Structure formats: structure tokens, C-alpha cells
Amino acid sequence: QVQLVESGGGLVQPGGSLRLSCAPSRRIFSINVMGWYRQAPGKERELVATITNTLTTNYADSVKGRFTVSRDNAKTTVNLQMNSLQPEDTAVYYCNIRWGASGVAWGQGTQVTVSS
């Protein structure tokens, strides 16, 4: 069973930056997609950004131009650089990795709070 360990969440003022990282507990082969989702209180979980094994990226409209997703193939990690954070970005952020025919894992979630 693969576990994903997330780090980098916290409290930041509006306009600030945070960087989230996610690493699996063991090496994963044949990764298809790595990415980040978020869930704000009272809302459904939504896609934030994904990156494929060919480095194709996809972003939610609300974060385009502010967030950047990247991956480190050697370490099988996925990162999310978040700039110009706004209060509406406040949520629990979840890492997600999909591999092979049906492999999927979720992180435990890391809280991001944007507030003055």
C-alpha cells in the first residue's frame, strides 16, 4: 500500500506564497498523472493542478498564472508552488498520484489558510 506524505501547508497573508510537496512512501513505477486537489469547508473537492508523465500540465481557471505544478521524476515527488495567494485559496490540499492500469493514492491533506 502506497502512502503519500504532504508537507508545506500553513498560514500565509494575502499575496504571499507557499510551496507544497508530496512524496510517496515507496517508489512508484509507470506513473500516469500526479497532481493536487483541494477542498474548502462546505464545498466539494476540486482539481487544482495536474502534471502527466509527459509533463503536460492542467490547471483550474482560478489558479492559472498563480500556481505552478512540477514533478521530480528521480524522487517521484510532485510540488505545487502557490503565489499571490488569496483568502479564497484557503482549503485542505490533497496530493494524488495515479499509476499503471488502476493504481491511485491520496495524501492525508495539508491545510492552507490565507488570512490577514
Side-chain angles (χ1 to χ4, degrees):
Q1 181 116 7
V2 176
Q3 294 183 343
L4 304 184
V5 180
E6 300 150 340
S7 60
L11 172 65
V12 64
Q13 292 185 343
S17 299
L18 284 175
R19 181 179 176 87
L20 305 182
S21 293
C22 171
S25 56
R26 63 168 176 83
R27 183 68 184 267
I28 301 175
F29 297 92
S30 302
I31 290 177
N32 298 320
V33 183
M34 307 173 78
W36 293 90
Y37 293 71
R38 68 186 181 187
Q39 187 167 17
K43 295 186 177 181
E44 294 186 353
R45 188 173 299 188
E46 63 176 1
L47 179 147
V48 176
T50 60
I51 183 167
T52 71
N53 58 340
T54 57
L55 303 183
T56 299
T57 57
N58 181 44
Y59 295 92
D61 288 342
S62 59
V63 307
K64 284 181 180 177
R66 301 187 298 122
F67 291 11
T68 302
V69 62
S70 62
R71 59 185 287 175
D72 181 334
N73 287 333
K75 298 180 180 180
T76 322
T77 59
V78 59
N79 306 300
L80 185 68
Q81 178 65 42
M82 305 184 292
N83 299 326
S84 301
L85 283 160
Q86 301 301 317
E88 52 266 33
D89 296 315
T90 295
V92 177
Y93 284 69
Y94 297 90
C95 173
N96 173 263
I97 297 180
R98 302 178 188 272
W99 68 92
S102 59
V104 60
W106 289 91
Q108 79 284 0
T110 185
Q111 178 70 47
V112 171
T113 302
V114 185
S115 176
S116 55

